[in-house]
Amino acid sequence: MRILVADDDRTLCENIAKILHVDLYAVDTAFNGTEAKDLLDYYTYDLLVLDWMMPGVSGIEVCQYARNKGFEGGILMLTAKDATENIIEGLDAGADDYIVKPFKMEELRARVRAVLRRKNKIVEEEIIVGSLKLHKNKRTVDIDNFEVNLTKNEFLLLEYLIENKGQVLTHEQVLEYVWDIDDNANTNTLAALVRLVRKKIDIEDEPSYIQSVRGLGYKLRGN
């Protein structure tokens, strides 16, 4: 996924970009609103992270510009303004969420993940990958039209991988999606769940649907 970060505080902008690179996003930076608009004209983004108070062309103006040109990705505003009327102004301009400065990078990362999940939620009732068919509304999975008996967490794991088919999902991303924070799940818990799902969905003598990416996480094979 590709993200544009725009903030006239060059140090903050670059630090945000570094953090998001660690999470395996492709990141472009702009240090004013004009640069941000120019990049929007040339590249396709999944998420914009915009500082509200950039001089010249503000983050709100960039937000409105993006929506007016048909941008359907997520928009996260960085702001020192936390008054209700300011928040409403940002949301009315087309922002999906906001974070008040100063903030912790972990909070920013969490909000980025949340916005991307909402914006990239696949809306089809059925998703087919090879012999697999996932029914989102019924929350069931078929293989060659035979229903596979999955637990709640097994279904959530498979749903997340199918919705992001071909993309590498880090261990942290999958843990956050499948388990509640109070569950104290870890990478060993995740590995055990993956083994259980593989036993239920993989076809003998064919590559596993769930592919391990060493040191990173997992992805669903493309077909």
Side-chain angles (χ1 to χ4, degrees), residues 116-130:
L116 286 172
R117 279 200 300 270
R118 292 197 297 268
K119 283 296 179 178
N120 289 283
K121 197 76 171 175
I122 297 176
V123 297
E124 296 124 301
E125 292 185 2
E126 295 182 355
I127 309 172
I128 299 174
V129 180

Side-chain angles (χ1 to χ4, degrees), residues 161 167-169 171 190-191 194 198 210-213 217-219:
L161 289 166
Q167 296 184 36
V168 177
L169 299 175
H171 297 113
L190 173 57
V194 168
R198 281 173 171 160
I210 302 175
Q211 299 180 337
S212 299
V213 182
Y218 300 96
K219 71 175 182 177

Side-chain angles (χ1 to χ4, degrees), residues 23-143:
D23 289 337
L24 304 180
Y25 300 114
V27 185
D28 294 329
T29 55
F31 303 120
N32 58 63
T34 301
E35 287 181 5
K37 289 173 64 177
D38 288 344
L39 288 168
L40 277 168
D41 287 337
Y42 287 99
Y43 299 104
T44 300
Y45 293 100
D46 298 285
L47 175 70
L48 310 180
V49 180
L50 305 173
D51 177 42
W52 186 304
M53 294 293 289
M54 288 184 291
V57 179
S58 70
I60 286 291
E61 291 174 289
V62 176
C63 177
Q64 292 170 328
Y65 177 79
R67 293 303 188 206
N68 288 339
K69 73 192 299 290
F71 178 72
E72 296 181 351
I75 299 179
L76 176 63
M77 300 299 301
L78 311 178
T79 177
K81 302 181 174 186
D82 59 355
T84 301
E85 60 269 22
N86 297 131
I87 295 168
I88 292 172
E89 180 185 356
L91 296 175
D92 284 347
D96 296 288
D97 201 357
Y98 69 95
I99 184 169
V100 178
K101 296 179 179 180
F103 52 81
K104 293 183 178 179
M105 286 296 178
E106 285 305 312
E107 181 185 359
L108 174 74
R109 293 169 73 188
R111 289 183 182 272
V112 164
R113 292 192 296 267
V115 172
L116 286 172
R117 279 200 300 270
R118 292 197 297 268
K119 283 296 179 178
N120 289 283
K121 197 76 171 175
I122 297 176
V123 297
E124 296 124 301
E125 292 185 2
E126 295 182 355
I127 309 172
I128 299 174
V129 180
S131 300
L132 281 176
K133 181 185 290 185
L134 182 139
H135 305 270
K136 290 181 63 64
N137 290 346
K138 295 190 295 181
R139 302 189 73 76
T140 60
V141 172
D142 296 346
I143 297 180

